[in-house]
Structure formats: structure tokens, C-alpha cells
Amino acid sequence: MALLNMKKDFLLTFVLLGIVALAIPTHVMSQSGVADIVTAAFFDGIKNQAAADCSGKSFYTRDAFINAANSFPQFGSGSADEAKREIAAFFAHVTHETGHLCYVEEINKSNNYCDQGNTQYPCVAGKSYYGRGPMQITWNYNYGAAGQAIGFDGLNSPETVANDPVISFKTALWFWMTNVHSVVNQGFGATIQKINGALECNGKQPALVQARIGYYTDYCQKFGVSPGENLSC
């Protein structure tokens, strides 16, 4: 009787596991899938186009990106093709913003990007909130909100984004997931609009828009996925 009950329990467990397995959608990309797409060859292929003396060549690493991406499980989610398009879009903008992962900080540091009217994330005296990191995050309210979400003092120590490569990528991914992720499936043009639309879109700086599109379509080709429609803004 005990053996019979054991067999029944085994069969019940097997059936339940089968039901659970069937309930999990096989088309959803995991974070290991992000690592599979962003190979060392792909990442270094971007960085190797930067000049030898670029500070980003030693600062930005694939390991730092993968480490940061693990904190954002919705990044690169969806179907395999959707994941590839989102990752291609992210790195297209990163390539454009940093000059192929060359720049860690904005070249022109004359603007401290302090919005005095923002009382939720007030500027700290002596601190500047110019562009830093893969997405060149700017403004006190972005540093404050990113720091709060990620776990660093973005207002008092904005330089952390230029000193810690994992925090740097986390900040870029925070900005992406907060502002861009929701429009990725509307086409690459929608991501340009979210990142720098006020300065580039609607014919304002078509050469910059085309540069971003060029990187995106190149990375889509490398990933073996169609770039989709609505590429421009």
C-alpha cells in the first residue's frame, strides 16, 4: 500500500510539474538571454571603435552591463525578436551618446544642469549634474530619482555614475526602463523621441537622428532581427 501511495504521489507531482511547465510562456526572454545576445564580441565590437585614449575603454565592461541588467528583469523581455530589438535600441543610443563607449562624462561641463524649481530633488551646492554614464544622464531630478531607485546618493555624489561602472549602467538602465521601455514596440523613432526628441526630432537635427538609426539597424542586423517600422522621428 505504501508503495502504491508513493507511485500516486510521484505521478501527481509529475503531472503538476507538467502543468506548471506548460503555463510558462516559452517565448519570454530571460536575463540569461540578455547575456546571450550581448556577447563579449558584440560589446567589444562597439568599444573597439573608440580611440585608444578614451576613458570609457577601461571603464565600461560587459560584466558591468550584465551585472546591472540583472537588476532590471523587464529589460529585454518579451519575445526573442522583441528582446533583440530593445537591446539593439539601447546600445544604439549608448553608442551615440558616448561615442562608441568612449566618454564617461560629458565633454562640455559648463552647464551644471540644475533645475532650481525642482524641490523634490534639490541641487546640492558645488555639485554638477551634467551628462555621465552610458546614457549621459543629466539634471538633478534624474540623478536624485535614479539614486533613490538604485541605491546611491545621486544628489550629493553624482560623480558615482562616472566612478562605478555597475552603478553607471544601472543608471542608464533605470533611465531606459523609466522613460523608454514602454514605447520600444512603437518603433525605434519613438525611443529617439523619448531620449532627445525636443532637440533632434521633427527635422531639427536630421543627421543625428540618422546616426542613431544607423547604429540601430546595424545592431539589429548583427542580432539577426528585422528593425521593424517607424524608425525615424
Side-chain angles (χ1 to χ4, degrees), residues 87-107:
I87 294 168
F90 176 81
F91 275 100
H93 290 299
V94 167
T95 299
H96 183 81
E97 296 292 335
T98 63
H100 292 91
L101 295 172
C102 174
Y103 302 110
V104 178
E105 296 183 311
E106 190 173 345
I107 298 172

Side-chain angles (χ1 to χ4, degrees), residues 4-221:
L4 181 60
N5 287 336
M6 286 178 64
K7 287 182 177 180
K8 286 181 178 178
D9 290 343
F10 175 78
L11 287 171
L12 179 60
T13 301
F14 183 79
V15 170
L16 287 174
L17 285 173
I19 292 172
V20 171
L22 288 172
I24 298 174
T26 57
H27 69 281
V28 174
M29 208 68 164
S30 66
Q31 284 309 102
S32 62
V34 172
D36 290 340
I37 295 169
V38 184
T39 62
F42 172 76
F43 191 94
D44 292 341
I46 297 173
K47 195 163 63 169
N48 289 343
Q49 296 183 60
D53 60 348
C54 286
S55 58
K57 294 204 78 163
S58 59
F59 182 75
Y60 297 119
T61 66
R62 176 181 177 271
D63 285 347
F65 165 73
I66 297 299
N67 189 326
N70 287 334
S71 296
F72 296 89
Q74 292 305 309
F75 174 72
S77 59
S79 70
D81 283 355
E82 288 169 343
K84 289 175 181 178
R85 288 191 191 99
E86 178 166 18
I87 294 168
F90 176 81
F91 275 100
H93 290 299
V94 167
T95 299
H96 183 81
E97 296 292 335
T98 63
H100 292 91
L101 295 172
C102 174
Y103 302 110
V104 178
E105 296 183 311
E106 190 173 345
I107 298 172
N108 183 1
K109 300 179 177 64
S110 61
N111 188 340
N112 68 356
Y113 290 94
C114 171
D115 179 4
Q116 297 283 2
N118 189 290
T119 57
Q120 183 178 6
Y121 300 109
C123 303
V124 174
K127 294 297 180 178
S128 294
Y129 305 99
Y130 52 72
R132 295 180 178 91
M135 205 59 72
Q136 292 288 285
I137 186 174
T138 55
W139 295 105
N140 51 304
Y141 49 80
N142 280 324
Y143 275 92
Q148 193 173 60
I150 296 165
F152 76 99
D153 194 342
L155 292 175
N156 284 291
S157 303
E159 60 275 5
T160 304
V161 180
N163 295 332
D164 184 324
V166 175
I167 291 294
S168 199
F169 270 114
K170 280 186 177 182
T171 304
L173 285 163
W174 167 85
F175 181 87
W176 183 269
M177 297 306 295
T178 303
N179 299 285
V180 188
H181 174 75
S182 63
V183 304
V184 166
N185 288 337
Q186 296 176 24
F188 183 68
T191 71
I192 304 175
Q193 189 75 52
K194 285 289 187 179
I195 288 176
N196 211 24
L199 296 178
E200 296 181 18
C201 293
N202 301 313
K204 293 175 182 175
Q205 297 195 64
L208 297 184
V209 170
Q210 286 303 314
R212 293 180 191 268
I213 294 172
Y215 295 133
Y216 172 66
T217 54
D218 179 40
Y219 298 159
C220 282
Q221 185 177 25

